Amino acid sequence: WHGRAVGYSLPATPDLLHSAPAMTPCTPDEDEAHPALQPLREAGLSANVVAQVLAFYDEPNRVYHARAHVREMLDASVALKLPLSAAQGLAVLFHDAIYVPGAPRGANEALCAQLMRVYAHELPRAVLEAARSIVLDTTDHIARTPESGAVLDLDLLRLATPTDEFAQISLQVFAEVRPLFDTPDDAAAWTAFMQRRAAFFRALLEREFIYTLPDVRQRFEAVA
């Protein structure tokens, strides 16, 4: 999925230590059977529903917020030995299922939580409510419940990547939002985009810590 932001380029930048775990490609069927989702399957969510939800991530406008982002989070939970509960797995699956670039703050997350209620209505209420809280916490990446921390850390794990890969991620996000900038000048649109992106990063840096879990923090905080 890297390099899909065709038409945009950045100057080369020096590498940082590649701390984030390497991810391995897998097929859609393997996505549905991902070992990190085993507790969710045991709670009663069928592979068919998983496949339907993952299809949202295959929309043609997705570049970064695509199926591979979900897969990376699941892969990282295994690689980092952070087993996901049924609620956490459900939140990972749905947290970006609805992604409308430029939507009002919190709107996408609220719609993801609503979509989750529709698709996963047969799951225990406690699982749905816990997953809903986690999804809503991805709005500002502040963990308000004990189960939110791991999912939020997995969602932000790509902040701890080499500089050149980090630049490519920025290009991928830019490709998703480029149509929102009413200018034919890519350079001007990029500047405006990076100003907004810098504000998000600045807000993260103002916190005491970016990552919630102590083990994740010890391993990735400095690089991020």
Side-chain angles (χ1 to χ4, degrees):
W1 56 288
H2 291 299
R4 287 175 57 189
V6 178
Y8 309 110
S9 61
L10 284 176
T13 49
D15 284 352
L16 290 175
L17 176 65
H18 193 169
S19 297
M23 307 301 174
T24 55
C26 52
T27 67
D29 287 345
E30 290 173 323
D31 289 338
E32 295 154 25
H34 200 289
L37 295 178
Q38 181 61 29
L40 183 56
R41 289 191 294 270
E42 292 175 354
L45 195 71
S46 70
N48 183 52
V49 170
V50 174
Q52 290 177 20
V53 177
L54 287 173
F56 283 93
Y57 293 87
D58 297 332
E59 294 169 342
N61 63 299
R62 307 288 189 116
V63 185
Y64 177 76
H65 296 90
R67 177 189 292 256
H69 173 54
V70 176
R71 183 187 305 149
E72 285 190 342
M73 291 175 68
L74 297 174
D75 286 351
S77 74
V78 175
L80 299 176
K81 295 180 172 58
L82 294 175
L84 300 176
S85 68
Q88 289 171 320
L90 190 64
V92 169
L93 184 61
F94 277 91
H95 81 288
D96 282 330
I98 302 296
Y99 176 66
V100 180
R105 183 177 179 83
N108 285 329
E109 292 80 6
L111 288 172
C112 287
Q114 289 294 91
L115 187 74
M116 182 183 68
R117 287 180 179 273
V118 173
Y119 275 77
H121 64 92
E122 294 182 354
L123 293 182
R125 182 177 180 84
V127 172
L128 286 172
E129 288 304 312
R132 176 181 178 275
S133 295
I134 297 170
V135 170
L136 295 180
D137 281 353
T138 64
T139 301
D140 52 13
H141 288 88
I142 295 176
R144 296 174 177 83
T145 69
E147 285 194 294
S148 287
V151 175
L152 300 185
D153 285 358
L154 292 171
D155 195 26
L156 294 180
L157 201 61
R158 278 298 167 202
L159 295 180
T161 58
T163 304
D164 58 348
E165 184 176 344
F166 188 83
Q168 288 300 313
I169 291 172
S170 293
L171 287 171
Q172 291 165 354
V173 178
F174 177 58
E176 292 177 330
V177 303
R178 176 62 180 90
L180 301 179
F181 294 95
D182 190 19
T183 173
D185 186 344
D186 283 341
W190 172 259
T191 298
F193 163 73
M194 286 304 294
Q195 288 173 344
R196 299 181 189 184
R197 194 155 169 79
F200 169 68
F201 295 144
R202 195 174 298 116
L204 289 178
L205 290 170
E206 288 174 353
R207 302 179 185 181
E208 184 178 5
F209 300 109
I210 294 174
Y211 296 114
T212 302
L213 301 184
D215 289 348
V216 177
R217 189 184 304 152
Q218 180 179 6
R219 191 165 174 183
F220 300 110
E221 184 82 16
V223 178

